């Protein structure tokens, strides 16, 4: 049985003009896998992640995690958004430990755990810094540590590196993959970057333009751990061309 099962999901936003974000969207995701979702702007990638997070309701269809229907947010899931959404009045360490504080974890234990995850994302020595004193990449690391410290089974990432410069983005990709190799969370990662989707993932889900559906799921059989040589391999180039052609054909069909 797949760990995450999505069956004929429909999400329609009601208003003066109804907007169908997802329609007849079906997908299976195995436990501990790294899955990327890619598609044109407005195709429903963020909506799908919000459904998995329990933040957006279903209009119809079914979504199960480990055989149980999603009824709202839960401690088994954590979200990392494109914008870091850190609290500017708290230090990096307190931002990381905030979820533990809300959960009632004693101060000494949450400090120990927050420090552990600051080290894990390479930010030891920056515990007392405030968000405005950190670079964009550092703030994203804090956001990642905050998501991981609560030990979720599923990590939902909505274009988390989209606002970073190219060099920082590649560094963060490698950082995340190193952490994923240690933690083995189930990761669902949305992106606009074909290269990022292929480099990070076990499978890449190509979505149609709105209303979003899973057009094709591509297996990425590149060896792990991933490194720069994968980016310049013939297998990587072939996968990139395949995904690019699928997305380009969709764009042409909607002109």
């Amino acid at each position: 049985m797949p760990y995450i099962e999505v069956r004929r999901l429909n999400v329609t936003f009601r208003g003066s003009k109804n907007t169908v974000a997802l329609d007849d969207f079906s997908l299976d995701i195995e436990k501990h896998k790294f899955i990327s979702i890619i598609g044109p702007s407005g195709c429903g990638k963020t909506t799908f992640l919000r459904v998995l997070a329990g933040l957006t309701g279903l209009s119809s269809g079914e979504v199960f995690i480990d055989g149980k229907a999603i009824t709202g947010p839960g401690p088994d899931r954590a979200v990392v958004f494109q914008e870091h959404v850190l609290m500017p009045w708290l230090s990096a360490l307190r931002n990381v430990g905030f979820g533990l504080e809300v959960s009632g974890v004693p101060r000494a234990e949450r400090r120990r755990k927050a420090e552990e995850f600051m080290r894990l994302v390479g930010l030891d020595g920056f515990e007392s810094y405030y968000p405005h004193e950190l670079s964009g990449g550092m703030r994203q690391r804090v956001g990642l540590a905050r998501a991981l410290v609560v030990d979720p089974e599923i990590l939902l990432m909505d274009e988390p590196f989209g606002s970073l410069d190219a060099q920082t983005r590649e560094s963060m990709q490698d950082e995340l993959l190193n952490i994923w190799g240690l933690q083995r969370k189930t990761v669902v990662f949305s992106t606009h970057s074909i290269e990022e989707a292929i480099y990070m993932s076990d499978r890449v889900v190509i979505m149609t333009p709105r209303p979003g559906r899973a057009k094709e799921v591509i297996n990425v059989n590149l060896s792990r751990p991933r490194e720069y040589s994968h980016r310049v391999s013939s297998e990587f180039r072939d996968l990139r061309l395949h995904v690019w052609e699928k997305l380009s054909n969709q764009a042409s069909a909607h002109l």
Side-chain angles (χ1 to χ4, degrees):
M1 177 188 299
Y3 184 50
I4 301 175
E5 298 178 84
V6 184
R7 296 287 177 263
R8 308 201 70 174
L9 171 63
N10 176 283
V11 177
T12 300
F13 295 107
R14 307 293 179 182
S16 57
K17 184 177 181 181
N18 292 344
T19 300
V20 182
L22 296 168
D23 185 49
D24 200 24
F25 183 95
S26 296
L27 183 66
D28 289 337
I29 298 175
E30 298 174 350
K31 196 169 189 177
H32 305 312
K33 296 298 184 181
F34 198 119
I35 307 299
S36 282
I37 312 290
I38 191 167
S41 295
C43 72
K45 298 187 296 297
T46 296
T47 298
F48 176 55
L49 291 184
R50 288 181 61 85
V51 168
L52 292 183
L55 300 173
T56 294
L58 290 63
S59 300
S60 63
E62 298 176 306
V63 182
F64 299 96
I65 296 177
D66 202 17
K68 299 177 182 178
I70 293 176
T71 58
D76 58 334
R77 287 152 283 155
V79 185
V80 179
F81 297 100
Q82 180 173 353
E83 298 298 330
H84 54 78
V85 200
L86 302 180
M87 286 162 282
W89 59 89
L90 296 181
S91 67
L93 187 70
R94 288 198 61 194
N95 264 286
V96 171
F98 182 75
L100 300 175
E101 184 176 352
V102 171
S103 300
V105 176
R107 178 179 296 181
E109 183 180 353
R110 68 174 182 259
R111 182 180 180 88
R112 178 185 61 79
K113 286 187 174 181
E115 289 175 342
E116 174 188 346
F117 279 87
M118 288 284 286
R119 288 192 297 272
L120 185 65
V121 299
L123 285 179
D124 47 318
F126 291 90
E127 292 85 356
S128 63
Y129 283 58
Y130 286 82
H132 73 274
E133 299 176 302
L134 302 173
S135 68
M138 287 179 171
R139 289 194 292 268
Q140 283 300 79
R141 289 170 187 260
V142 173
L144 178 59
R146 183 176 61 184
L148 291 171
V149 75
V150 296
D151 196 24
E153 292 290 334
I154 299 169
L155 190 60
L156 305 170
M157 309 192 74
D158 188 15
E159 299 185 55
F161 308 145
S163 62
L164 304 178
D165 64 84
Q167 185 175 0
T168 303
R169 185 169 186 158
E170 290 189 4
S171 175
M172 286 297 297
Q173 290 167 6
D174 288 331
E175 191 74 41
L176 175 58
L177 286 180
N178 288 337
I179 292 170
W180 175 76
L182 295 171
Q183 299 278 316
R184 299 303 290 184
K185 306 297 183 184
T186 302
V187 178
V188 185
F189 184 103
S190 81
T191 180
H192 279 106
S193 169
I194 297 173
E195 291 84 358
E196 183 169 71
I198 295 170
Y199 184 70
M200 306 286 283
S201 308
D202 297 305
R203 293 195 298 158
V204 176
V205 180
I206 301 175
M207 291 185 65
T208 65
R210 190 174 67 234
R213 302 181 181 91
K215 178 181 178 65
E216 184 175 351
V217 180
I218 298 170
N219 292 320
V220 180
N221 296 317
L222 301 172
S223 61
R224 292 193 185 273
R226 302 275 163 85
E227 54 190 28
Y228 183 78
S229 60
H230 288 102
R231 298 181 188 268
V232 296
S233 68
S234 58
E235 294 88 350
F236 190 95
R237 291 196 301 270
D238 289 345
L239 285 168
R240 186 195 181 285
L241 179 60
H242 180 82
V243 176
W244 182 85
E245 287 177 340
K246 292 294 183 180
L247 293 173
S248 296
N249 290 341
Q250 290 183 168
S252 298
H254 281 73
L255 291 177

